[in-house]
mmCIF file with all atom_site columns, all heavy atoms in Angstrom:
data_model
loop_
_atom_site.group_PDB
_atom_site.id
_atom_site.type_symbol
_atom_site.label_atom_id
_atom_site.label_alt_id
_atom_site.label_comp_id
_atom_site.label_asym_id
_atom_site.label_entity_id
_atom_site.label_seq_id
_atom_site.pdbx_PDB_ins_code
_atom_site.Cartn_x
_atom_site.Cartn_y
_atom_site.Cartn_z
_atom_site.occupancy
_atom_site.B_iso_or_equiv
_atom_site.pdbx_formal_charge
_atom_site.auth_seq_id
_atom_site.auth_comp_id
_atom_site.auth_asym_id
_atom_site.auth_atom_id
_atom_site.pdbx_PDB_model_num
ATOM 1   N N   . ILE A 1 185 ? 101.363 98.960 123.895 1.00 98.00 ? 185 ILE A N   1
ATOM 2   C CA  . ILE A 1 185 ? 100.626 97.892 123.208 1.00 98.00 ? 185 ILE A CA  1
ATOM 3   C C   . ILE A 1 185 ? 101.545 96.679 123.137 1.00 98.00 ? 185 ILE A C   1
ATOM 4   O O   . ILE A 1 185 ? 102.728 96.796 122.793 1.00 98.00 ? 185 ILE A O   1
ATOM 5   C CB  . ILE A 1 185 ? 100.242 98.302 121.755 1.00 98.00 ? 185 ILE A CB  1
ATOM 6   C CG1 . ILE A 1 185 ? 99.554  99.680 121.720 1.00 98.00 ? 185 ILE A CG1 1
ATOM 7   C CG2 . ILE A 1 185 ? 99.392  97.219 121.087 1.00 98.00 ? 185 ILE A CG2 1
ATOM 8   C CD1 . ILE A 1 185 ? 98.199  99.755 122.354 1.00 98.00 ? 185 ILE A CD1 1
ATOM 9   N N   . GLU A 1 186 ? 101.003 95.523 123.481 1.00 98.00 ? 186 GLU A N   1
ATOM 10  C CA  . GLU A 1 186 ? 101.782 94.287 123.354 1.00 98.00 ? 186 GLU A CA  1
ATOM 11  C C   . GLU A 1 186 ? 101.189 93.426 122.251 1.00 98.00 ? 186 GLU A C   1
ATOM 12  O O   . GLU A 1 186 ? 99.970  93.447 122.029 1.00 98.00 ? 186 GLU A O   1
ATOM 13  C CB  . GLU A 1 186 ? 101.782 93.516 124.682 1.00 98.00 ? 186 GLU A CB  1
ATOM 14  C CG  . GLU A 1 186 ? 102.501 94.311 125.752 1.00 98.00 ? 186 GLU A CG  1
ATOM 15  C CD  . GLU A 1 186 ? 102.934 93.457 126.937 1.00 98.00 ? 186 GLU A CD  1
ATOM 16  O OE1 . GLU A 1 186 ? 102.938 92.214 126.811 1.00 98.00 ? 186 GLU A OE1 1
ATOM 17  O OE2 . GLU A 1 186 ? 103.270 94.053 127.972 1.00 98.00 ? 186 GLU A OE2 1
ATOM 18  N N   . VAL A 1 187 ? 102.058 92.690 121.585 1.00 98.00 ? 187 VAL A N   1
ATOM 19  C CA  . VAL A 1 187 ? 101.626 91.919 120.423 1.00 98.00 ? 187 VAL A CA  1
ATOM 20  C C   . VAL A 1 187 ? 102.004 90.446 120.587 1.00 98.00 ? 187 VAL A C   1
ATOM 21  O O   . VAL A 1 187 ? 103.138 90.122 120.944 1.00 98.00 ? 187 VAL A O   1
ATOM 22  C CB  . VAL A 1 187 ? 102.280 92.470 119.132 1.00 98.00 ? 187 VAL A CB  1
ATOM 23  C CG1 . VAL A 1 187 ? 101.840 91.658 117.913 1.00 98.00 ? 187 VAL A CG1 1
ATOM 24  C CG2 . VAL A 1 187 ? 101.943 93.948 118.933 1.00 98.00 ? 187 VAL A CG2 1
ATOM 25  N N   . PHE A 1 188 ? 101.038 89.583 120.334 1.00 98.00 ? 188 PHE A N   1
ATOM 26  C CA  . PHE A 1 188 ? 101.334 88.169 120.106 1.00 98.00 ? 188 PHE A CA  1
ATOM 27  C C   . PHE A 1 188 ? 101.405 87.977 118.593 1.00 98.00 ? 188 PHE A C   1
ATOM 28  O O   . PHE A 1 188 ? 100.502 88.410 117.873 1.00 98.00 ? 188 PHE A O   1
ATOM 29  C CB  . PHE A 1 188 ? 100.239 87.264 120.693 1.00 98.00 ? 188 PHE A CB  1
ATOM 30  C CG  . PHE A 1 188 ? 100.415 86.988 122.161 1.00 98.00 ? 188 PHE A CG  1
ATOM 31  C CD1 . PHE A 1 188 ? 99.877  87.841 123.122 1.00 98.00 ? 188 PHE A CD1 1
ATOM 32  C CD2 . PHE A 1 188 ? 101.116 85.870 122.582 1.00 98.00 ? 188 PHE A CD2 1
ATOM 33  C CE1 . PHE A 1 188 ? 100.044 87.588 124.475 1.00 98.00 ? 188 PHE A CE1 1
ATOM 34  C CE2 . PHE A 1 188 ? 101.290 85.610 123.942 1.00 98.00 ? 188 PHE A CE2 1
ATOM 35  C CZ  . PHE A 1 188 ? 100.757 86.474 124.893 1.00 98.00 ? 188 PHE A CZ  1
ATOM 36  N N   . ALA A 1 189 ? 102.489 87.386 118.116 1.00 98.00 ? 189 ALA A N   1
ATOM 37  C CA  . ALA A 1 189 ? 102.656 87.163 116.672 1.00 98.00 ? 189 ALA A CA  1
ATOM 38  C C   . ALA A 1 189 ? 102.644 85.676 116.387 1.00 98.00 ? 189 ALA A C   1
ATOM 39  O O   . ALA A 1 189 ? 103.490 84.935 116.908 1.00 98.00 ? 189 ALA A O   1
ATOM 40  C CB  . ALA A 1 189 ? 103.967 87.782 116.192 1.00 98.00 ? 189 ALA A CB  1
ATOM 41  N N   . ASP A 1 190 ? 101.682 85.237 115.583 1.00 98.00 ? 190 ASP A N   1
ATOM 42  C CA  . ASP A 1 190 ? 101.715 83.839 115.110 1.00 98.00 ? 190 ASP A CA  1
ATOM 43  C C   . ASP A 1 190 ? 102.982 83.640 114.296 1.00 98.00 ? 190 ASP A C   1
ATOM 44  O O   . ASP A 1 190 ? 103.320 84.484 113.457 1.00 98.00 ? 190 ASP A O   1
ATOM 45  C CB  . ASP A 1 190 ? 100.528 83.572 114.175 1.00 98.00 ? 190 ASP A CB  1
ATOM 46  C CG  . ASP A 1 190 ? 99.231  83.374 114.926 1.00 98.00 ? 190 ASP A CG  1
ATOM 47  O OD1 . ASP A 1 190 ? 99.260  83.224 116.147 1.00 98.00 ? 190 ASP A OD1 1
ATOM 48  O OD2 . ASP A 1 190 ? 98.184  83.385 114.255 1.00 98.00 ? 190 ASP A OD2 1
ATOM 49  N N   . GLU A 1 191 ? 103.633 82.508 114.454 1.00 98.00 ? 191 GLU A N   1
ATOM 50  C CA  . GLU A 1 191 ? 104.872 82.330 113.674 1.00 98.00 ? 191 GLU A CA  1
ATOM 51  C C   . GLU A 1 191 ? 104.579 82.245 112.177 1.00 98.00 ? 191 GLU A C   1
ATOM 52  O O   . GLU A 1 191 ? 105.362 82.679 111.355 1.00 98.00 ? 191 GLU A O   1
ATOM 53  C CB  . GLU A 1 191 ? 105.666 81.121 114.165 1.00 98.00 ? 191 GLU A CB  1
ATOM 54  C CG  . GLU A 1 191 ? 104.947 79.821 114.124 1.00 98.00 ? 191 GLU A CG  1
ATOM 55  C CD  . GLU A 1 191 ? 105.812 78.679 114.679 1.00 98.00 ? 191 GLU A CD  1
ATOM 56  O OE1 . GLU A 1 191 ? 106.923 78.919 115.159 1.00 98.00 ? 191 GLU A OE1 1
ATOM 57  O OE2 . GLU A 1 191 ? 105.347 77.538 114.628 1.00 98.00 ? 191 GLU A OE2 1
ATOM 58  N N   . THR A 1 192 ? 103.399 81.740 111.810 1.00 98.00 ? 192 THR A N   1
ATOM 59  C CA  . THR A 1 192 ? 102.915 81.744 110.427 1.00 98.00 ? 192 THR A CA  1
ATOM 60  C C   . THR A 1 192 ? 103.683 80.766 109.530 1.00 98.00 ? 192 THR A C   1
ATOM 61  O O   . THR A 1 192 ? 104.529 81.143 108.712 1.00 98.00 ? 192 THR A O   1
ATOM 62  C CB  . THR A 1 192 ? 102.908 83.163 109.804 1.00 98.00 ? 192 THR A CB  1
ATOM 63  O OG1 . THR A 1 192 ? 102.344 84.082 110.745 1.00 98.00 ? 192 THR A OG1 1
ATOM 64  C CG2 . THR A 1 192 ? 102.087 83.193 108.520 1.00 98.00 ? 192 THR A CG2 1
ATOM 65  N N   . ARG A 1 193 ? 103.337 79.523 109.714 1.00 98.00 ? 193 ARG A N   1
ATOM 66  C CA  . ARG A 1 193 ? 103.887 78.471 108.875 1.00 98.00 ? 193 ARG A CA  1
ATOM 67  C C   . ARG A 1 193 ? 103.312 78.565 107.469 1.00 98.00 ? 193 ARG A C   1
ATOM 68  O O   . ARG A 1 193 ? 102.195 79.008 107.326 1.00 98.00 ? 193 ARG A O   1
ATOM 69  C CB  . ARG A 1 193 ? 103.529 77.119 109.496 1.00 98.00 ? 193 ARG A CB  1
ATOM 70  C CG  . ARG A 1 193 ? 104.155 76.949 110.840 1.00 98.00 ? 193 ARG A CG  1
ATOM 71  C CD  . ARG A 1 193 ? 104.860 75.678 110.898 1.00 98.00 ? 193 ARG A CD  1
ATOM 72  N NE  . ARG A 1 193 ? 105.664 75.646 112.119 1.00 98.00 ? 193 ARG A NE  1
ATOM 73  C CZ  . ARG A 1 193 ? 106.339 74.577 112.468 1.00 98.00 ? 193 ARG A CZ  1
ATOM 74  N NH1 . ARG A 1 193 ? 106.304 73.503 111.733 1.00 98.00 ? 193 ARG A NH1 1
ATOM 75  N NH2 . ARG A 1 193 ? 107.068 74.578 113.545 1.00 98.00 ? 193 ARG A NH2 1
ATOM 76  N N   . PRO A 1 194 ? 104.013 78.095 106.447 1.00 98.00 ? 194 PRO A N   1
ATOM 77  C CA  . PRO A 1 194 ? 105.320 77.456 106.560 1.00 98.00 ? 194 PRO A CA  1
ATOM 78  C C   . PRO A 1 194 ? 106.501 78.426 106.415 1.00 98.00 ? 194 PRO A C   1
ATOM 79  O O   . PRO A 1 194 ? 107.625 78.019 106.705 1.00 98.00 ? 194 PRO A O   1
ATOM 80  C CB  . PRO A 1 194 ? 105.312 76.477 105.388 1.00 98.00 ? 194 PRO A CB  1
ATOM 81  C CG  . PRO A 1 194 ? 104.464 77.146 104.356 1.00 98.00 ? 194 PRO A CG  1
ATOM 82  C CD  . PRO A 1 194 ? 103.405 77.910 105.115 1.00 98.00 ? 194 PRO A CD  1
ATOM 83  N N   . LEU A 1 195 ? 106.271 79.649 105.988 1.00 98.00 ? 195 LEU A N   1
ATOM 84  C CA  . LEU A 1 195 ? 107.422 80.517 105.685 1.00 98.00 ? 195 LEU A CA  1
ATOM 85  C C   . LEU A 1 195 ? 107.764 81.483 106.819 1.00 98.00 ? 195 LEU A C   1
ATOM 86  O O   . LEU A 1 195 ? 108.666 82.310 106.681 1.00 98.00 ? 195 LEU A O   1
ATOM 87  C CB  . LEU A 1 195 ? 107.209 81.256 104.353 1.00 98.00 ? 195 LEU A CB  1
ATOM 88  C CG  . LEU A 1 195 ? 107.145 80.318 103.139 1.00 98.00 ? 195 LEU A CG  1
ATOM 89  C CD1 . LEU A 1 195 ? 106.948 81.095 101.837 1.00 98.00 ? 195 LEU A CD1 1
ATOM 90  C CD2 . LEU A 1 195 ? 108.399 79.447 103.032 1.00 98.00 ? 195 LEU A CD2 1
ATOM 91  N N   . MET A 1 196 ? 107.016 81.375 107.920 1.00 98.00 ? 196 MET A N   1
ATOM 92  C CA  . MET A 1 196 ? 107.406 82.055 109.172 1.00 98.00 ? 196 MET A CA  1
ATOM 93  C C   . MET A 1 196 ? 107.482 83.580 109.068 1.00 98.00 ? 196 MET A C   1
ATOM 94  O O   . MET A 1 196 ? 108.328 84.210 109.713 1.00 98.00 ? 196 MET A O   1
ATOM 95  C CB  . MET A 1 196 ? 108.756 81.522 109.672 1.00 98.00 ? 196 MET A CB  1
ATOM 96  C CG  . MET A 1 196 ? 108.878 80.023 109.688 1.00 98.00 ? 196 MET A CG  1
ATOM 97  S SD  . MET A 1 196 ? 107.642 79.285 110.765 1.00 98.00 ? 196 MET A SD  1
ATOM 98  C CE  . MET A 1 196 ? 108.635 78.709 112.098 1.00 98.00 ? 196 MET A CE  1
ATOM 99  N N   . GLN A 1 197 ? 106.577 84.166 108.290 1.00 98.00 ? 197 GLN A N   1
ATOM 100 C CA  . GLN A 1 197 ? 106.624 85.630 108.192 1.00 98.00 ? 197 GLN A CA  1
ATOM 101 C C   . GLN A 1 197 ? 106.368 86.298 109.549 1.00 98.00 ? 197 GLN A C   1
ATOM 102 O O   . GLN A 1 197 ? 106.823 87.413 109.793 1.00 98.00 ? 197 GLN A O   1
ATOM 103 C CB  . GLN A 1 197 ? 105.580 86.138 107.180 1.00 98.00 ? 197 GLN A CB  1
ATOM 104 C CG  . GLN A 1 197 ? 105.886 85.807 105.728 1.00 98.00 ? 197 GLN A CG  1
ATOM 105 C CD  . GLN A 1 197 ? 105.229 84.509 105.289 1.00 98.00 ? 197 GLN A CD  1
ATOM 106 O OE1 . GLN A 1 197 ? 105.054 83.586 106.080 1.00 98.00 ? 197 GLN A OE1 1
ATOM 107 N NE2 . GLN A 1 197 ? 104.881 84.417 104.015 1.00 98.00 ? 197 GLN A NE2 1
ATOM 108 N N   . GLY A 1 198 ? 105.604 85.598 110.415 1.00 98.00 ? 198 GLY A N   1
ATOM 109 C CA  . GLY A 1 198 ? 105.309 86.176 111.731 1.00 98.00 ? 198 GLY A CA  1
ATOM 110 C C   . GLY A 1 198 ? 106.544 86.250 112.609 1.00 98.00 ? 198 GLY A C   1
ATOM 111 O O   . GLY A 1 198 ? 106.875 87.294 113.170 1.00 98.00 ? 198 GLY A O   1
ATOM 112 N N   . SER A 1 199 ? 107.248 85.119 112.703 1.00 98.00 ? 199 SER A N   1
ATOM 113 C CA  . SER A 1 199 ? 108.426 85.131 113.578 1.00 98.00 ? 199 SER A CA  1
ATOM 114 C C   . SER A 1 199 ? 109.619 85.794 112.907 1.00 98.00 ? 199 SER A C   1
ATOM 115 O O   . SER A 1 199 ? 110.373 86.527 113.537 1.00 98.00 ? 199 SER A O   1
ATOM 116 C CB  . SER A 1 199 ? 108.779 83.720 114.045 1.00 98.00 ? 199 SER A CB  1
ATOM 117 O OG  . SER A 1 199 ? 108.831 82.841 112.955 1.00 98.00 ? 199 SER A OG  1
ATOM 118 N N   . ARG A 1 200 ? 109.771 85.594 111.592 1.00 98.00 ? 200 ARG A N   1
ATOM 119 C CA  . ARG A 1 200 ? 110.956 86.160 110.931 1.00 98.00 ? 200 ARG A CA  1
ATOM 120 C C   . ARG A 1 200 ? 110.828 87.674 110.720 1.00 98.00 ? 200 ARG A C   1
ATOM 121 O O   . ARG A 1 200 ? 111.810 88.403 110.848 1.00 98.00 ? 200 ARG A O   1
ATOM 122 C CB  . ARG A 1 200 ? 111.172 85.500 109.563 1.00 98.00 ? 200 ARG A CB  1
ATOM 123 C CG  . ARG A 1 200 ? 111.617 84.050 109.629 1.00 98.00 ? 200 ARG A CG  1
ATOM 124 C CD  . ARG A 1 200 ? 112.096 83.533 108.274 1.00 98.00 ? 200 ARG A CD  1
ATOM 125 N NE  . ARG A 1 200 ? 111.121 83.733 107.212 1.00 98.00 ? 200 ARG A NE  1
ATOM 126 C CZ  . ARG A 1 200 ? 111.210 84.658 106.270 1.00 98.00 ? 200 ARG A CZ  1
ATOM 127 N NH1 . ARG A 1 200 ? 112.237 85.476 106.213 1.00 98.00 ? 200 ARG A NH1 1
ATOM 128 N NH2 . ARG A 1 200 ? 110.270 84.767 105.346 1.00 98.00 ? 200 ARG A NH2 1
ATOM 129 N N   . LEU A 1 201 ? 109.611 88.129 110.390 1.00 98.00 ? 201 LEU A N   1
ATOM 130 C CA  . LEU A 1 201 ? 109.475 89.523 109.956 1.00 98.00 ? 201 LEU A CA  1
ATOM 131 C C   . LEU A 1 201 ? 108.702 90.397 110.949 1.00 98.00 ? 201 LEU A C   1
ATOM 132 O O   . LEU A 1 201 ? 109.158 91.484 111.312 1.00 98.00 ? 201 LEU A O   1
ATOM 133 C CB  . LEU A 1 201 ? 108.790 89.572 108.580 1.00 98.00 ? 201 LEU A CB  1
ATOM 134 C CG  . LEU A 1 201 ? 109.436 88.692 107.498 1.00 98.00 ? 201 LEU A CG  1
ATOM 135 C CD1 . LEU A 1 201 ? 108.605 88.698 106.220 1.00 98.00 ? 201 LEU A CD1 1
ATOM 136 C CD2 . LEU A 1 201 ? 110.859 89.167 107.197 1.00 98.00 ? 201 LEU A CD2 1
ATOM 137 N N   . THR A 1 202 ? 107.532 89.905 111.395 1.00 98.00 ? 202 THR A N   1
ATOM 138 C CA  . THR A 1 202 ? 106.738 90.722 112.328 1.00 98.00 ? 202 THR A CA  1
ATOM 139 C C   . THR A 1 202 ? 107.498 90.908 113.644 1.00 98.00 ? 202 THR A C   1
ATOM 140 O O   . THR A 1 202 ? 107.623 92.024 114.147 1.00 98.00 ? 202 THR A O   1
ATOM 141 C CB  . THR A 1 202 ? 105.361 90.068 112.560 1.00 98.00 ? 202 THR A CB  1
ATOM 142 O OG1 . THR A 1 202 ? 104.667 90.085 111.310 1.00 98.00 ? 202 THR A OG1 1
ATOM 143 C CG2 . THR A 1 202 ? 104.542 90.815 113.597 1.00 98.00 ? 202 THR A CG2 1
#
Side-chain angles (χ1 to χ4, degrees):
I185 310 292
E186 295 199 15
V187 180
F188 276 88
D190 282 348
E191 58 182 4
T192 315
R193 297 231 170 175
L195 296 181
M196 313 300 250
Q197 290 93 328
S199 50
R200 290 192 307 105
L201 307 174
T202 296

